[in-house]
Amino acid sequence: MPALSTSDIEIRLLIEAIYLRYNYDFRDYSAASQARRILHAVTQMECATVSELQSRVLHDADAFARLLQFLTIPTSEMFRDPAYFLALREQVVPFLKTYPSLKIWIAGCSTGEEVVSMAILLHEEGLLERCIVYATDINPQSLERARKGVYPLDRMDDYALSYQQAGGRARLSDYYTAAYGAALFDRSLFERISFSDHSLATDSVFSETHLVCCRNVLIYFNRGLQERALGLFHESLCHRGFLGLGSKESVDFSGHANLFEPLARSERIYRKSSPEKAQ
Ligand SMILES: C[S@@+](CC[C@H](N)C(=O)[O-])C[C@H]1O[C@@H](n2cnc3c(N)ncnc32)[C@H](O)[C@@H]1O
């Protein structure tokens, strides 16, 4: 076994300590980017070493809450990768319209921008009223912000452009009220959304769904955890259900490749294979 650096050993011990103390499992995340985030947290939290950070986190839950912001990458955008949302609208929605009721799971929803985008799309397609959207994440601060649906007003021009490119039928500004530098999204968009804590690393499937969206989350996982997450999505999806991933993520080359078939490969939208094709 190659010799580990002191910093690598400290990082492993920190991750183990977090698991034992707080039951958050970061043990199967991609090591290089996780190390970068931890070393950044060491500086930002004014610790001399990772070991000092470990001691702080073990004895102070507030310090852990702060570290969680570094470990979880709480970033998002509305209508991120507009071609993905356009493909959902044009190629997935026609199938979704055939169901009398729908369940959609947005895993790793962060601060909710992806959820609001989906709610607007579903509303414009006449589907929102027959949906339950489960929006899940492991970061309680992100979930709290997602529930509020309030975003900086200065992001709205960029988001409005993406919304138009994604096939938006109205103006993005029709869906929010501007006040004091913030955009407050219409509460009617949130009536069908259930936000909750769920970890792709430790929790199991909680519902059968027709569409699972998990974007820009698997890139932070190692191969084993990616397989676990894909397994959960496969188990959750109904017969011939749909899966949407992020632009740098794929089912191809995974152990689940034959369980999904590409519907819009370049937009990373897949469909659960029929059982005879999944052999
Ligand atoms: C970069 S954000 C992606 C947000 C959104 N899906 C998007 O594409 O705009 C990654 C999110 O994954 C969440 N996450 C990280 N590990 C997770 C896990 N084990 N289970 C569920 N969510 C996780 C983080 O908390 C973070 O909110």
Side-chain angles (χ1 to χ4, degrees):
M1 190 171 120
L4 292 170
S5 70
T6 305
S7 161
D8 286 343
I9 295 168
E10 285 181 298
I11 286 171
R12 272 206 205 172
L13 293 173
L14 169 67
I15 294 300
E16 198 62 36
I18 289 171
Y19 181 57
L20 294 172
R21 177 81 171 79
Y22 298 103
N23 212 21
Y24 275 81
D25 191 352
F26 290 103
R27 294 175 299 176
D28 289 317
Y29 283 54
S30 162
S33 67
Q34 185 177 67
R36 275 197 303 278
R37 291 194 299 279
I38 290 172
L39 295 177
H40 183 53
V42 167
T43 317
Q44 294 295 308
M45 293 175 71
E46 296 175 0
C47 295
T49 60
V50 178
S51 299
E52 187 185 328
L53 179 62
Q54 178 193 310
S55 172
R56 282 257 301 274
V57 160
L58 271 178
H59 296 100
D60 177 1
D62 290 343
F64 172 63
R66 213 173 146 208
L67 175 59
L68 198 57
Q69 305 316 307
F70 294 94
L71 288 173
T72 55
I73 315 108
T75 56
S76 189
E77 287 169 34
M78 279 185 199
F79 296 96
R80 187 179 201 170
D81 308 317
Y84 164 84
F85 284 93
L86 188 61
L88 276 186
R89 202 187 270 271
E90 291 179 343
Q91 297 182 55
V92 178
V93 160
F95 290 103
L96 298 184
K97 283 187 173 170
T98 65
Y99 294 101
S101 67
L102 285 169
K103 289 183 178 174
I104 296 176
W105 178 16
I106 302 183
C109 68
S110 188
T111 39
E113 288 86 336
E114 182 186 357
V115 184
V116 172
S117 309
M118 180 64 79
I120 291 173
L121 188 158
L122 293 168
H123 164 72
E124 291 183 354
E125 296 297 334
L127 287 176
L128 188 57
E129 283 64 36
R130 65 174 107 151
C131 273
I132 298 177
V133 179
Y134 300 104
T136 61
D137 204 283
I138 55 168
N139 183 330
Q141 285 190 38
S142 294
L143 283 169
E144 203 39 51
R145 286 183 55 196
R147 281 187 191 99
K148 291 198 170 110
V150 178
Y151 300 101
L153 199 53
D154 59 12
R155 300 301 314 273
M156 292 304 135
D157 284 351
D158 286 347
Y159 292 168
L161 184 62
S162 298
Y163 164 69
Q164 294 302 338
Q165 292 168 344
R169 301 255 167 87
R171 288 174 308 180
L172 188 63
S173 56
D174 294 341
Y175 295 103
Y176 64 81
T177 308
Y180 304 106
L184 285 71
F185 276 78
D186 198 330
R187 290 319 298 170
S188 64
L189 292 171
F190 293 82
E191 278 168 14
R192 314 296 302 168
I193 301 170
S194 161
F195 290 99
S196 55
D197 177 89
H198 179 277
S199 173
L200 296 167
T202 51
D203 292 324
S204 42
V205 165
F206 51 87
S207 178
E208 186 182 64
T209 54
H210 301 84
L211 166 65
V212 174
C213 302
C214 182
R215 310 198 67 220
N216 309 297
V217 181
L218 298 186
I219 32 168
Y220 300 108
F221 294 173
N222 71 15
R223 179 79 191 255
L225 188 49
Q226 288 175 358
E227 294 291 347
R228 182 185 201 276
L230 289 171
L232 291 181
F233 303 152
H234 186 264
E235 193 185 332
S236 170
L237 283 170
C238 65
H239 177 69
R240 305 290 282 143
F242 299 89
L243 172 67
L245 300 178
S247 62
K248 298 191 190 73
E249 297 159 339
S250 170
V251 167
D252 309 333
F253 313 114
S254 80
H256 288 80
N258 66 331
L259 300 180
F260 291 95
E261 59 194 44
L263 181 80
R265 192 190 288 276
S266 47
E267 280 75 37
R268 305 292 198 258
I269 299 175
Y270 299 84
R271 194 167 188 197
K272 189 169 172 174
S273 303
S274 51
E276 56 279 13
K277 282 210 178 146
Q279 303 304 322

